[in-house]
C-alpha cells in the first residue's frame, strides 16, 4: 500500500476509535505532540501506557482476590489507572475506572469485581486497537524511510 | 528518577523572554502522565524537569531554591502526599505550586487551595491550561511591602478562590467558576488584572505588584461608596480616601475600571437570577453556593445540558428549587431537560419556566422547553405508559438533551418513589439520584456534546455513576429501563454516548432488576445512535452490555429470570447479529474460543485474532445460550490464567476468590 493510503487508513482508524468513544480528544493532543523532534512519541506513550495499565489491572485483580480487600489500596490503583487513561485519552477505559472507583467507595467487592471485568474488557479492546494503530504507524515510518 | 528537558536557556534567560523558558518541576508517580505533561510543557516552551518521586523533588528544590519557577505536582503519590509536598514547598521555598489530580472532588480542590496551591488542574491536562500557568509565577513576584498586600496564600485561605485579591472578581463568576474550568476563568481574571497594571511590566520579575487583597479592596469599595459611583468616584479621590501608602493613582484607576465592569456584570446576573426566581417563585439561590463540584454535580445530575448551563450560568437556582420538588417526575424531568429551568413546585409552575439563560445550551434551550411542556403533560398523565412518552419525544430534536427527555418517564417512576423525601434536603439528594438514573442515559449523552468540557464530563460521569447506583436502591430501574428500551429513533448527536452510557450502567447491576438495565441501557444508548454509527456503537455497546450481562449472570445466575432482561435480550440478540468483530471482549467468554483465545492474547501481534472469534461464536448467540456462555465464563474466570498478556495480566477476573494467580 502506498504511503498516502496508509496514512489515510491510519487517520480513519483513529477516527473510528474516536467515534466509538474508545479514544477522546486527549489522544489528539498526544498525536499533536509528536513531531520531528519527537518522532516516536505516540508509540512511546502507548507502550508505556499499556505496560502500566496491565500492571495496575493485575494488581487490582490480585487485591480483589484476597478475603479482606484493602479498598483504599484499591482506590489508589484505580486512581492511577484513571489518571493514565485520561491522560492518554482512553475514554472508555477511564469511564470503566469510574465504575470501579464507585464500587470501591461503597466497599462493594462484588461490584468491584464486575467493574474490574469491564475494565479488563475495555483494556483488551483498547490494546487491540492500539496494536493495530502502532502497526499502521510503523508501516508508515518504514515506507517513509524507504522512500528517503 | 529525574529528567531535564526543554529549552537550553540558563537560569537567567527566562526573564527576557518570559514565560518562555520558565523552569518547571513536574512531579507525578504515573509515568504516562508525567511523560505527557513534560512534553506538553515543552511544547509551551518551558524548561521542564521531571521526577516521579516527591522526595527527590523536595531534595532538588532544597538544593537550590532558585532553580525552578514553578512546581506542578500530582496529588496522589505513593511516597508522599501531594498536599504535604505542597505545604513544604510553599513554606520553604515559596514557589507557586499547581496541583494535579485525576479526581475532582470538591474537598480535594479545597484542600489544595487551603494548603496553598495556586491552582488545581484536573487530569488529563490540556495544553491550553498549561499555557497559562506562568501567570502564577508572575503573581508570586515580590509583592508591595504593604501588609495589606498580603501574599497570595493568605488570601487564598480566606477567599478560597485561588488567587489573591480576586475574591470580589471571583464572586460574580463564583458559581460558574466552581468547576474544573474555574482555573481558566480565574486565569482570565488575573490576566486582565495583569493587563490593567499600567506602568508595570509584568514580565519583569523584580517590580513589585500591587496585590489587591481583601482588605485593600474593602477600603477601595468603602471609598467608592463614600464618593458615590458617579462622577465623584475618581481615582485621585479614591486614593486619598483610602490613604494607603505605596498605592498609586494608576493602581486605583485600573482597579476602579475592573470594579465597574464587575458591578455591571453583577447586575446582569442579578436580572437573570431575578427572572429565574420570578419564574419559579420558589426559593432563591440558596443552593447557588456551588462549592465547585457539589453544586455542579447536583446541577449536572438533574439537568440535561446542565453542564453547559452551569458553565455559563452563575446561578444554580435550579438546584435549590429542585430539592423542593415534591411534585412528579415531570418536574424533575424538566429540571433535567432544562438544565437551567427551575422546576417549580407544581406542574403548572413548570409551564411557566422559561428557558432562561444558558447561552451554552442555546441549541438545546428551545428544545428543552418543548421537552418540558411535554414532560409536564406526561407527568399529569401519571398513568401514561412510558412508551407513550417516547412517542412524544420521538419527534423531538435530536439533541442529547432530548435523549434525556426520553427518559423522563423513567424519572417519573423513580421520582415518584422518592417523592416523599423530596421536600427535604435529603430528598434533594434522592431526587438528584433519581434523576441521575435517567440521566445516566442522558448524562452520558450530555457529556458527549460538550467536548470542550471534557473534564466536566468526566466529573459528571463520576457523579452520575454514583447517583445512579443510589437510584438503584429505589428499585425502580427495571421499569425505567424498559421504558428506555423503547426509545429507538433518536438520532445520535454524539457518538460517544453509548460507551458512556454503558459505563455508567455498570453500577446498576448491583440490584437484580438492574440486570435488565444493563442491556437496556445499552439499548437505549444504541437507540440514540443513528445511522451507521449506531451500528458501531451498538456493537460496542452490546459488547459491553454483553459482557456486563455475562458477569451479571455469572454473579447471580438470575439474569435469565429477569423479564426485563429477556425483553432486552431480544433486542440485544438482533444487535449482536450485526456484530462483526467488534465484540472481542464478549467473545472471549465463549468456551470454544477460550484456549485459543489465551494463546492469541499471549502473542502480541495476534491480537487481531480476537476479532474473528466473535464473528463465529457470537452471531448465533442469543440469550438462551447465555447460560452456555456463562459456564465458560466461570471456567475462564476460575482458571488461574497468569499470563494473559505480555504484562502477565491475569485474566481470572471476577470470581476466583482466594485463588489468585
Amino acid at each position: 500500500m502506498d504511503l498516502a493510503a496508509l496514512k489515510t487508513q491510519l487517520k480513519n482508524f483513529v477516527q473510528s476509535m474516536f467515534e466509538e468513544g474508545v479514544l477522546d480528544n486527549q489522544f489528539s493532543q498526544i498525536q499533536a505532540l509528536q513531531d520531528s523532534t519527537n518522532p516516536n512519541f505516540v508509540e512511546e506513550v502507548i507502550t508505556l501506557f499499556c505496560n502500566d495499565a496491565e500492571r495496575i489491572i493485575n494488581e487490582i485483580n490480585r487485591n480483589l482476590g484476597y478475603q479482606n480487600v484493602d479498598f483504599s489500596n484499591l482506590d489508589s490503583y484505580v486512581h492511577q489507572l484513571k489518571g493514565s487513561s485520561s491522560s492518554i485519552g482512553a475514554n472508555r477505559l477511564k469511564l470503566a475506572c469510574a465504575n470501579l472507583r464507585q464500587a470501591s467507595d461503597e466497599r462493594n467487592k462484588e461490584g468491584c469485581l464486575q467493574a474490574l471485568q469491564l475494565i479488563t474488557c475495555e483494556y483488551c479492546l483498547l490494546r487491540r486497537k492500539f496494536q493495530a494503530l502502532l502497526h499502521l504507524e510503523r508501516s508508515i515510518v518504514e515506507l517513509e524511510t524507504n522512500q528517503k | 528518577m529525574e529528567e531535564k528537558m526543554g529549552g537550553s536557556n540558563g537560569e537567567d534567560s527566562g526573564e527576557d523572554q518570559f514565560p518562555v523558558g520558565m523552569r518547571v518541576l513536574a512531579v507525578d508517580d504515573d509515568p504516562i502522565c508525567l511523560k505527557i505533561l513534560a512534553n506538553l510543557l515543552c511544547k509551551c516552551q518551558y524548561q521542564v524537569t521531571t521526577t516521579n518521586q516527591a522526595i527527590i523533588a523536595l531534595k532538588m528544590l532544597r538544593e537550590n531554591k532558585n532553580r525552578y519557577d514553578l512546581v506542578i505536582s500530582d496529588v496522589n503519590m505513593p511516597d508522599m502526599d501531594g498536599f504535604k509536598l505542597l505545604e513544604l514547598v510553599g513554606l520553604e521555598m515559596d514557589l507557586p505550586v499547581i496541583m494535579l489530580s485525576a479526581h475532582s472532588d470538591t474537598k480535594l480542590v479545597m484542600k489544595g487551595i487551603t494548603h496553598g496551591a495556586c491552582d488545581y488542574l484536573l487530569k488529563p491536562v490540556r495544553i491550553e491550561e498549561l499555557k497559562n500557568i506562568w501567570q502564577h509565577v508572575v503573581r508570586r513576584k515580590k509583592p508591595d511591602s504593604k501588609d495589606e498586600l498580603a501574599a497570595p496564600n493568605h488570601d487564598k485561605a480566606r477567599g478560597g478562590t485561588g488567587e489573591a485579591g480576586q475574591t470580589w472578581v471571583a464572586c460574580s463568576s463564583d458559581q460558574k467558576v466552581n468547576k474544573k474550568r474555574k482555573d481558566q476563568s480565574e486565569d482570565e481574571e488575573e490576566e486582565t488584572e495583569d493587563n490593567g497594571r499600567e506602568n508595570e511590566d509584568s514580565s519583569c520579575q523584580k517590580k513589585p505588584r500591587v496585590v489587591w487583597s481583601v482588605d485593600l479592596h474593602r477600603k477601595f469599595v468603602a471609598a467608592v461608596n463614600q464618593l458615590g459611583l458617579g462622577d465623584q468616584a475618581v481615582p485621585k479621590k479614591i486614593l486619598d480616601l483610602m490613604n494607603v501608602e505605596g498605592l498609586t493613582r494608576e493602581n486605583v484607576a485600573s482597579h476602579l475600571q475592573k470594579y465597574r465592569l464587575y458591578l455591571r456584570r453583577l447586575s446582569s446576573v442579578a436580572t437573570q437570577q431575578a427572572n429565574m426566581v420570578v419564574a419559579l417563585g420558589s426559593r432563591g439561590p440558596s443552593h447557588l453556593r456551588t462549592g465547585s463540584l457539589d453544586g455542579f454535580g447536583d446541577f449536572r445530575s438533574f439537568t440535561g445540558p446542565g453542564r453547559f448551563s452551569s458553565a455559563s450560568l452563575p446561578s444554580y437556582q435550579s438546584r435549590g428549587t429542585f430539592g423542593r420538588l415534591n411534585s412528579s417526575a415531570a418536574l424533575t424531568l424538566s429540571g433535567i431537560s432544562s438544565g437551567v429551568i427551575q422546576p417549580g413546585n407544581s406542574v403548572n409552575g413548570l409551564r411557566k419556566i422559561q428557558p432562561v439563560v444558558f447561552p451554552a445550551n442555546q441549541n438545546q434551550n428551545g428544545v428543552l422547553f418543548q421537552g418540558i411542556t411535554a414532560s409536564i403533560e406526561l407527568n399529569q398523565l401519571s398513568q401514561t405508559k412510558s412508551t407513550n412518552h417516547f412517542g412524544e419525544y420521538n419527534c423531538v430534536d435530536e439533541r442529547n438533551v432530548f435523549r434525556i427527555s426520553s427518559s423522563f418517564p423513567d424519572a417519573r417512576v423513580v421520582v415518584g418513589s422518592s417523592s416523599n423525601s423530596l421536600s427535604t434536603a435529603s430528598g434533594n439528594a434522592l431526587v438528584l439520584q433519581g434523576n441521575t438514573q435517567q440521566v445516566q442515559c442522558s448524562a452520558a449523552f450530555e457529556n458527549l456534546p460538550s467536548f470542550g468540557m471534557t473534564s466536566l464530563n468526566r466529573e459528571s460521569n463520576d457523579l452520575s455513576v454514583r447517583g445512579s447506583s443510589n437510584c438503584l436502591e429505589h428499585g425502580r430501574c427495571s421499569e425505567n429501563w424498559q421504558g428506555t428500551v423503547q426509545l429507538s429513533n433518536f438520532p445520535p448527536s454524539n457518538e460517544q454516548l453509548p460507551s458512556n452510557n454503558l459505563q455508567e450502567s455498570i453500577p446498576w447491576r448491583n440490584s437484580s432488576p438492574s440486570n435488565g438495565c444493563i442491556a437496556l441501557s445499552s439499548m437505549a444508548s444504541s437507540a440514540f445512535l443513528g445511522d451507521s454509527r449506531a451500528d458501531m456503537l451498538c456493537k460496542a455497546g452490546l459488547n459491553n452490555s454483553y459482557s456486563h450481562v455475562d458477569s451479571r449472570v455469572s454473579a447471580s445466575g438470575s439474569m435469565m429470570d429477569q423479564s426485563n432482561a429477556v425483553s432486552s435480550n431480544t433486542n440485544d440478540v438482533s444487535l449482536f447479529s450485526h456484530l462483526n468483530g467488534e465484540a472481542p471482549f464478549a467473545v472471549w467468554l465463549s468456551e470454544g474460543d477460550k484456549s485459543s483465545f489465551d494463546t492469541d492474547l499471549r502473542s502480541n501481534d495476534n491480537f487481531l485474532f480476537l476479532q474473528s472469534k466473535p464473528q463465529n461464536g457470537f452471531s448465533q448467540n442469543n440469550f438462551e445460550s447465555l447460560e452456555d456462555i456463562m459456564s465458560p465464563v466461570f471456567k475462564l474466570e476460575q482458571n488461574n490464567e497468569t499470563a494473559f498478556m505480555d504484562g502477565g495480566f491475569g485474566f481470572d477476573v471476577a470470581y476466583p476468590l482466594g485463588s489468585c494467580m
Side-chain angles (χ1 to χ4, degrees):
Chain A
M1 214 189 275
D2 76 327
L3 190 60
L6 265 182
K7 285 192 172 172
T8 310
Q9 193 181 2
L10 176 63
K11 186 160 144 289
N12 289 339
F13 185 68
V14 174
Q15 182 62 27
S16 77
M17 284 175 86
F18 280 125
E19 286 172 7
E20 289 171 25
V22 177
L23 289 180
D24 63 21
N25 285 335
Q26 185 66 17
F27 189 72
S28 310
Q29 291 216 357
I30 293 182
Q31 284 184 302
L33 281 175
Q34 177 161 300
D35 54 20
S36 52
T37 60
N38 219 341
N40 296 317
F41 185 64
V42 174
E43 175 161 1
E44 287 167 9
V45 172
I46 287 178
T47 311
L48 206 55
F49 169 73
C50 286
N51 288 334
D52 204 53
E54 283 168 31
R55 178 185 64 85
I56 294 176
I57 293 177
N58 275 336
E59 279 298 323
I60 294 177
N61 199 23
R62 193 165 61 84
N63 259 297
L64 283 175
Y66 295 134
Q67 197 64 15
N68 296 318
V69 179
D70 181 355
F71 285 105
S72 58
N73 200 16
L74 191 65
D75 195 59
S76 73
Y77 279 124
V78 180
H79 181 93
Q80 254 194 297
L81 187 60
K82 185 176 176 216
S84 26
S85 307
S86 57
S87 296
I88 201 178
N91 187 46
R92 300 223 303 229
L93 185 56
K94 172 195 61 157
L95 293 172
C97 290
N99 280 338
L100 180 53
R101 190 190 184 202
Q102 179 173 0
S104 174
D105 281 348
E106 297 166 359
R107 300 297 192 252
N108 175 3
K109 184 169 180 180
E110 171 83 2
C112 285
L113 287 169
Q114 292 175 353
L116 177 62
Q117 187 158 1
L118 177 64
I119 286 178
T120 310
C121 289
E122 288 297 341
Y123 175 69
C124 290
L125 174 68
L126 181 67
R127 188 191 154 115
R128 184 171 59 81
K129 290 194 178 269
F130 270 153
Q131 298 218 313
L133 192 151
L134 288 183
H135 183 72
L136 274 173
E137 279 235 344
R138 282 186 214 121
S139 307
I140 290 176
V141 167
E142 207 178 294
L143 257 184
E144 277 176 339
T145 22
N146 285 346
Q147 282 180 1
K148 283 181 192 161
Chain B
M1 182 240 312
E2 165 190 340
E3 270 176 46
K4 201 160 181 115
M5 8 183 347
S8 52
N9 295 334
E11 289 187 9
D12 296 321
S13 62
E15 278 190 51
D16 302 328
Q17 340 159 14
F18 192 86
V20 172
M22 182 174 83
R23 298 152 304 166
V24 182
L25 175 62
V27 190
D28 193 337
D29 64 316
D30 184 343
I32 294 119
C33 299
L34 192 61
K35 186 181 173 79
I36 295 174
L37 177 65
N39 274 280
L40 285 173
L41 288 167
C42 282
K43 201 89 176 191
C44 299
Q45 295 181 290
Y46 301 139
Q47 201 177 337
V48 187
T49 311
T50 64
T51 173
N52 62 353
Q53 290 181 52
I55 296 173
I56 296 183
L58 260 183
K59 189 164 77 76
M60 295 198 295
L61 286 165
R62 281 174 180 152
E63 273 170 15
N64 185 353
K65 292 180 185 166
N66 294 326
R67 224 159 111 196
Y68 304 102
D69 298 311
L70 179 73
V71 180
I72 300 184
S73 165
D74 186 32
V75 166
N76 303 71
M77 290 189 289
D79 59 337
M80 185 191 294
D81 183 28
F83 294 115
K84 180 121 180 285
L85 176 67
L86 164 62
E87 266 182 351
L88 290 173
V89 172
L91 281 173
E92 296 182 24
M93 291 117 213
D94 194 31
L95 280 177
V97 182
I98 295 179
M99 303 306 296
L100 266 188
S101 179
H103 291 159
S104 56
D105 299 334
T106 312
K107 295 195 190 66
L108 279 184
V109 178
M110 189 61 79
K111 195 172 172 194
I113 292 172
T114 51
H115 280 68
C118 59
D119 210 346
Y120 194 105
L121 301 179
L122 284 193
K123 288 183 186 175
V125 185
R126 300 179 337 171
I127 201 165
E128 294 85 14
E129 296 169 326
L130 291 178
K131 284 198 172 135
N132 285 331
I133 58 174
W134 60 268
Q135 299 176 351
H136 302 292
V137 178
V138 175
R139 234 174 267 117
R140 283 254 183 162
K141 289 312 159 225
K142 195 170 139 193
D144 202 310
S145 55
K146 254 327 165 160
D147 287 342
E148 284 134 346
L149 305 178
N153 279 337
H154 300 257
D155 287 317
K156 252 176 261 149
R158 233 181 322 176
T161 55
E163 274 311 318
Q166 295 302 329
T167 36
W168 64 267
V169 173
C171 280
S172 61
S173 53
D174 201 27
Q175 285 89 9
K176 73 178 172 186
V177 143
N178 286 326
K179 49 176 172 55
K180 188 206 168 166
R181 291 291 149 241
K182 76 173 179 177
D183 302 331
Q184 224 72 123
S185 50
E186 278 182 352
D187 285 347
E188 285 159 13
E189 290 300 338
E190 280 130 10
E191 231 169 350
T192 52
E193 182 83 8
D194 284 347
N195 295 339
R197 300 255 160 260
E198 310 163 22
N199 304 332
E200 267 191 75
D201 182 4
S202 61
S203 64
C204 177
Q205 299 184 6
K206 299 287 174 5
K207 264 194 200 149
R209 285 189 51 208
V210 174
V211 176
W212 282 90
S213 67
V214 176
D215 281 343
L216 197 61
H217 179 66
R218 222 178 286 150
K219 279 197 174 167
F220 169 81
V221 174
V224 167
N225 289 337
Q226 199 174 332
L227 292 169
L229 256 178
D231 305 330
Q232 290 305 306
V234 284
K236 184 83 177 67
K237 291 192 185 165
I238 298 173
L239 183 65
D240 292 340
L241 269 179
M242 284 175 72
N243 197 18
V244 169
E245 253 183 60
L247 200 61
T248 68
R249 197 204 70 83
E250 285 78 22
N251 297 142
V252 175
S254 68
H255 195 73
L256 176 65
Q257 186 181 36
K258 281 178 214 143
Y259 186 63
R260 286 198 210 271
L261 286 171
Y262 157 71
L263 289 178
R264 214 172 297 152
R265 199 183 333 152
L266 263 193
S267 62
S268 70
V269 167
T271 27
Q272 283 174 0
Q273 288 186 2
N275 286 344
M276 286 213 274
V277 173
V278 164
L280 299 174
S282 56
R283 62 174 149 189
S286 54
H287 289 258
L288 286 183
R289 202 53 61 223
T290 59
S292 69
L293 293 176
D294 280 343
F296 188 64
D298 284 354
F299 200 61
R300 177 187 345 154
S301 56
F302 65 81
T303 61
R307 200 161 302 103
F308 302 92
S309 42
S310 60
S312 55
L313 251 207
S315 51
Y316 284 61
Q317 284 185 353
S318 54
R319 268 179 39 243
T321 34
F322 196 65
R324 276 279 169 84
L325 276 185
N326 300 328
S327 53
S328 53
L331 289 180
T332 55
L333 289 178
S334 54
I336 296 170
S337 61
S338 62
V340 177
I341 298 178
Q342 315 302 327
N345 283 334
S346 67
V347 172
N348 292 334
L350 280 176
R351 291 186 194 277
K352 293 176 202 144
I353 295 173
Q354 303 303 319
V356 182
V357 194
F358 312 112
N361 294 332
Q362 266 145 19
N363 292 335
Q364 301 154 338
N365 271 345
V367 181
L368 286 176
F369 200 58
Q370 295 172 31
I372 293 172
T373 7
S375 65
I376 292 172
E377 280 145 9
L378 287 179
N379 185 42
Q380 287 171 341
L381 309 168
S382 52
Q383 271 67 35
T384 321
K385 289 194 182 148
S386 48
T387 31
N388 294 343
H389 297 298
F390 290 127
E392 293 186 36
Y393 288 113
N394 276 341
C395 55
V396 166
D397 177 41
E398 314 157 353
R399 297 288 165 185
N400 286 335
V401 174
F402 285 85
R403 300 299 177 274
I404 299 166
S405 56
S406 66
S407 59
F408 283 159
D410 300 335
R412 184 158 47 85
V413 176
V414 176
V415 173
S417 64
S418 58
S419 59
N420 290 338
S421 45
L422 282 183
S423 52
T424 62
S426 59
N428 205 353
L430 283 177
V431 169
L432 290 178
Q433 288 171 3
N435 290 332
T436 35
Q437 183 181 10
Q438 311 112 15
V439 176
Q440 281 309 318
C441 187
S442 49
F445 303 107
E446 304 159 26
N447 291 344
L448 298 174
S450 61
F451 287 109
M453 305 172 65
T454 45
S455 60
L456 291 175
N457 287 341
R458 295 185 194 105
E459 295 163 8
S460 64
N461 279 338
D462 283 345
L463 286 180
S464 52
V465 165
R466 294 201 188 100
S468 67
S469 66
N470 290 334
C471 287
L472 283 183
E473 285 146 12
H474 293 298
R476 302 287 201 111
C477 48
S478 55
E479 298 171 31
N480 299 336
W481 283 112
Q482 244 180 348
T484 28
V485 173
Q486 292 159 15
L487 293 175
S488 55
N489 301 324
F490 288 82
S493 54
N494 198 320
E495 304 90 344
Q496 294 181 18
L497 291 177
S499 54
N500 284 347
N501 194 22
L502 287 171
Q503 302 311 325
E504 294 171 356
S505 67
I506 303 304
W508 294 325
R509 290 199 234 153
N510 292 336
S511 60
S512 49
S514 65
N515 282 340
C517 292
I518 299 165
L520 289 174
S521 62
S522 64
M523 291 309 302
S525 59
S526 49
F528 286 134
L529 304 170
D531 318 325
S532 55
R533 281 206 223 114
D535 282 345
M536 254 174 38
L537 292 169
C538 284
K539 289 176 219 151
L542 284 173
N543 289 337
N544 278 336
S545 65
Y546 183 68
S547 56
H548 300 177
V549 164
D550 287 345
S551 53
R552 188 65 200 149
V553 171
S554 42
S556 67
S558 62
M559 190 184 153
M560 299 308 289
D561 300 332
Q562 297 292 329
S563 56
N564 292 341
V566 170
S567 63
S568 64
N569 286 348
T570 44
N571 287 331
D572 280 317
V573 172
S574 56
L575 282 173
F576 280 139
S577 58
H578 298 313
L579 290 175
N580 59 13
E582 284 305 313
F585 46 96
V587 172
W588 52 254
L589 293 175
S590 60
E591 179 165 31
D593 299 329
K594 187 171 78 113
S595 50
S596 46
F597 172 73
D598 296 335
T599 322
D600 292 335
L601 287 175
R602 290 208 173 107
S603 68
N604 246 343
D605 297 330
N606 291 333
F607 233 73
L608 292 172
F609 282 163
L610 273 178
Q611 267 176 335
S612 55
K613 299 282 188 296
Q615 279 160 347
N616 300 331
F618 223 66
S619 44
Q620 289 95 31
N621 281 340
N622 53 32
F623 276 87
E624 286 76 56
S625 60
L626 250 188
E627 282 159 347
D628 295 335
I629 295 166
M630 284 308 102
S631 46
V633 171
F634 277 112
K635 286 186 197 163
L636 180 62
E637 289 168 345
Q638 286 160 8
N639 186 12
N640 288 333
E641 293 292 334
T642 56
F644 171 59
M645 290 189 210
D646 292 344
F649 184 71
F651 218 87
D652 47 351
V653 172
Y655 298 99
L657 302 180
S659 60
C660 292
M661 325 184 247

